[in-house]
Amino acid sequence: MNSLPEPAPSPATVIRGGPLTWVQQWHWFERTIPSPRRVNPTPLADHCHVPPPATVADIHAALASLTARHEALRTTVDPLRPVQHVHRADWAPLPIDHLDIPVVDAETLEAATAALAARPIDPERNPPWLARVLLEAGKPCAVLMAAHHVVIDGWGLAVLINQLHGRLRGDDAPAQLPVHPLDTLAAQPLERARAAEREWLTRLASNPTGVLAPFGGTENGTGRHRLQYRSVAAYADLDRVARRYRVSPEAVVLAVLAHDVATRTGEHRFLASVVVSNRARAALRNSIGVRALTVPVQIDLRPGAPFGEVAASVAAASAAAYRHGQWRPAELVAAQARMDRRRGVVTVPTIEYNCYSWPRDYLVPGQDTSPDGADSWISSAPDEPCETLYVDLGRDAGAVTLDVTVGDHLLDAGQALALPARLCGLLRALAGGAQCPVPAGALTPAAPGWWRAPQGWVSLTRVEDVLRGHPGVLEVTVAPSGDAAGEGGRPHLVAHARTVPGVTPGDLHRHVLDHLGEVPGILAPGRYVLSPAGHGSGRPSHRSRTVNGGTETPRAPSRPPSTVAERALAAAVAAVGHNGPSAGFGHGPAAVDMNRCLADHGVTLVAIPRLLALLHQSGFTGIASDELAGTASLGHLAAALEPLPPRAPHGGETSP
């Protein structure tokens, strides 16, 4: 097999550049996250067959022509700043290699595509894509392509492969030139962006989340299930339902999924994180650049509503979320983190929904599981937990394809397999004329050990485990209560903790906040009752204090950096922050409050790679970029920092 070239581009090859768009920022940040923890597959990969009598030379010529046509194929990104550069068409050799194999069948194509997807792509120095030609007896049979998500999205890769196949057939290129993301940067009015931020945060502020956690799954589940379900019958059912209610098939599937969540959990308000293609204008449909955008959709269902009302409300919510979610995602994420810390909760979308069938490790198909020929793949990876339900929709070759990824603390293997079959069954009933009203209550009982807080569901045992992890806590009992004086009977959570002297309710509250991102499904307790050691564990002490009665949390006192690691982190925060509302570093690193989170100090997603680089320069490592996007306090983050290992000298031995 020929090796892929590794060019060393020169800045002289850059013909234009500018900032990454609002859509690209997330993928630029995501490339710094360890691959097992990424939400989106990076790189994307797909393939097409080579129509006869096209030759290898024809494939090279077609890819060269597409490279000249699409600036995204010759775009690189800066490693530390959200900036992109477009290069000349001849700036680097085409990243193509060839592989001779005995037989190019469907199974081989899937395995080869997965292998190409696993190859790293360096979008900072090299072309953001790879291609591989599969040869059978020297004859080209298929072309595989992989692309980095920071420059090309899933829709764009499909457009690219379709255009490649068209050129190999001899079709003319589309008349309209594609639009590069740099061309649309000027169309972001600042006032609309500000209004969008306010609307987006207002919608999220009152939205309960995590409603799937207490239903089904296995106790203390730590793995994930991945499966693919195909149904031929659901293809016609989906079209029939979409025509009846005058919404898109994609909106119908999201509405069916929302209906199923409400039926299973009894929850009627929750979040869905939805990927939209963002190619409504004709000028964008042939663009391969990153346009697809993930937006938070607030699902709000009326108990007893027929499905037509469900479909209309979901379609309207999706349109509103798109309008309000497209502006400055890094700033929005930081603003949401500040809001979450003040409320003492973590806002995690219940559902991740994507209208594209991503490859799921190309799992080997099992036997047919339904009469219409649906195939199911299922696999568990115990070392890769999954905190959210991911559902991807594909409509290819006359079949509806649902890819499902879910953690086994949400749904076990049997429940995961039943989910897509149940969704397709609901489509069949709707296509037959059923109204399928939304149930008023849950049809599936909650799992033991869970309690419904005003903000969402709480795992009592996990709250206890987190509190026991705080130094000085000897014994903990967590139970719901709603009869405290002055609370108006509102439900809240009480933790009776027996502690050593010196442990305060504020200490425990900050400890829970610092672990919210690490323990799925936990909300901060609404009340802590401490009993110092020696005074008994069953009686509340005079130090009991409401710290989160549903709307407020105590403001921890400001604390300057004290350790070497904290001072290094404070210096990095002071260098990259933007003076957020709670920032206190106007006079240098010594004024940075270690009890506040990064978002409180105005540190957004786009600043995190530079912050990590500054920590590295100071001699520290040990935290990943996704850990910096949450609500953990700076003190908690600094405690996780580790000194960089000593470098070995040229002789190969470590210095003493």
Side-chain angles (χ1 to χ4, degrees), residues 397-478:
V400 169
T401 303
L402 295 174
D403 287 313
V404 175
T405 303
V406 62
D408 59 10
H409 67 288
L410 301 180
L411 302 174
D412 61 25
Q415 293 162 340
L417 279 172
L419 174 65
R422 191 166 61 245
L423 298 181
C424 290
L426 181 56
L427 279 175
R428 170 54 55 90
L430 292 168
Q435 294 296 310
C436 300
V438 177
L443 302 185
T444 304
W450 290 84
W451 174 69
R452 181 65 171 90
Q455 305 97 333
W457 287 94
V458 181
S459 170
L460 301 181
T461 56
R462 287 177 181 170
V463 173
E464 292 177 349
D465 290 342
V466 168
L467 290 172
R468 287 193 190 98
H470 187 280
V473 173
L474 306 177
E475 186 177 344
V476 174
T477 301
V478 177

Side-chain angles (χ1 to χ4, degrees), residues 2-5 59-60 63 94-98 129-133:
N2 297 334
S3 299
L4 291 170
I59 296 171
H60 280 247
L63 287 172
L94 296 177
I96 310 172
D97 63 16
H98 314 97
W129 59 282
L130 301 173
R132 175 166 293 162
V133 181

Side-chain angles (χ1 to χ4, degrees), residues 140-390:
C141 293
V143 180
L144 320 176
M145 295 199 71
H148 201 285
H149 214 328
V150 75
V151 179
I152 300 171
D153 61 18
W155 177 293
L157 182 60
V159 168
L160 178 62
I161 288 181
N162 287 337
Q163 291 185 5
L164 171 63
H165 191 261
R167 287 175 184 260
L168 294 178
R169 289 200 318 264
D171 297 344
D172 292 334
Q176 194 172 33
L177 286 175
V179 178
H180 189 274
L182 282 173
D183 301 326
T184 60
L185 284 170
Q188 298 186 52
L190 183 59
E191 286 307 311
R192 287 184 60 190
R194 304 283 186 182
E197 288 180 21
R198 292 192 294 269
E199 177 69 21
W200 190 84
L201 292 173
T202 299
R203 289 174 177 270
L204 263 63
S206 61
N207 206 348
T209 58
V211 297
L212 283 183
F215 294 90
T218 59
E219 185 177 0
N220 298 323
T222 58
R224 70 173 64 187
H225 304 297
R226 293 174 291 212
L227 64 99
Q228 187 177 84
Y229 184 89
R230 287 203 299 265
S231 174
V232 175
Y235 191 89
D237 294 338
L238 180 56
D239 279 344
R240 192 174 297 117
V241 175
R243 288 196 302 269
R244 173 179 301 168
Y245 297 114
R246 298 181 179 181
V247 295
S248 69
E250 293 77 13
V252 167
V253 173
L254 178 57
V256 166
L257 188 56
H259 187 285
D260 187 80
V261 170
T263 301
R264 184 174 180 84
T265 67
E267 297 289 340
H268 299 98
R269 299 187 70 237
F270 49 90
L271 286 180
S273 183
V274 179
V275 179
V276 294
S277 69
N278 190 27
R279 285 174 167 83
R281 292 194 292 122
L284 300 176
R285 290 176 187 164
N286 291 323
S287 170
I288 69 171
V290 176
R291 307 285 175 181
L293 171 67
T294 301
V295 297
V297 175
Q298 178 166 297
I299 305 296
D300 208 335
L301 306 181
R302 181 177 64 85
F307 185 80
E309 181 180 323
V310 173
S313 66
V314 167
S318 299
Y322 170 72
R323 289 195 302 270
H324 300 131
Q326 62 178 309
W327 307 102
R328 306 199 308 177
E331 285 79 0
L332 290 177
V333 169
Q336 182 184 346
R338 288 193 296 270
M339 178 181 68
D340 289 343
R341 190 167 180 86
R342 289 195 301 269
R343 292 192 302 159
V345 301
V346 167
T347 304
V348 179
T350 299
I351 299 169
E352 292 276 355
Y353 176 68
N354 192 9
C355 301
Y356 186 90
S357 187
W358 301 112
R360 293 295 180 192
D361 289 355
Y362 297 90
L363 303 173
V364 178
Q367 60 183 4
D368 289 350
T369 56
S370 68
D372 64 4
D375 290 330
S376 293
W377 291 252
I378 189 159
S379 172
S380 296
D383 59 337
E384 296 181 7
C386 177
E387 300 178 7
T388 305
L389 170 63
Y390 298 89

